[in-house]
Amino acid sequence: MAASGGSAHRLSHPLQRIQRDMAVLLNHPTLATDPILEQAGRGLLGLGPTVPQFQ
């Protein structure tokens, strides 16, 4: 998006749709990186998971 210039922000531009889709995906609670990384780190350190669905 940064390299495509201002025209990429028009609703008809394909990159604009991709950017909106990615923003929705990255803001979805199940895809938030902090809880996922926390559980991965706890697993690497031998600590138990703190979230029931990861048990």
Side-chain angles (χ1 to χ4, degrees), residues 5-38:
S7 66
H9 295 283
R10 292 190 319 221
L11 290 177
S12 61
H13 198 284
L15 286 178
Q16 206 274 344
R17 172 67 189 264
I18 293 169
Q19 181 190 28
R20 283 187 293 139
D21 289 347
M22 291 304 297
V24 169
L25 286 173
L26 293 175
N27 286 311
H28 195 277
T30 59
L31 297 176
T33 56
D34 286 343
I36 294 171
L37 293 176
E38 177 186 353

Side-chain angles (χ1 to χ4, degrees), residues 32-52:
T33 56
D34 286 343
I36 294 171
L37 293 176
E38 177 186 353
Q39 297 308 312
R42 290 182 65 82
L44 290 172
L45 293 172
L47 303 172
T50 58
V51 181

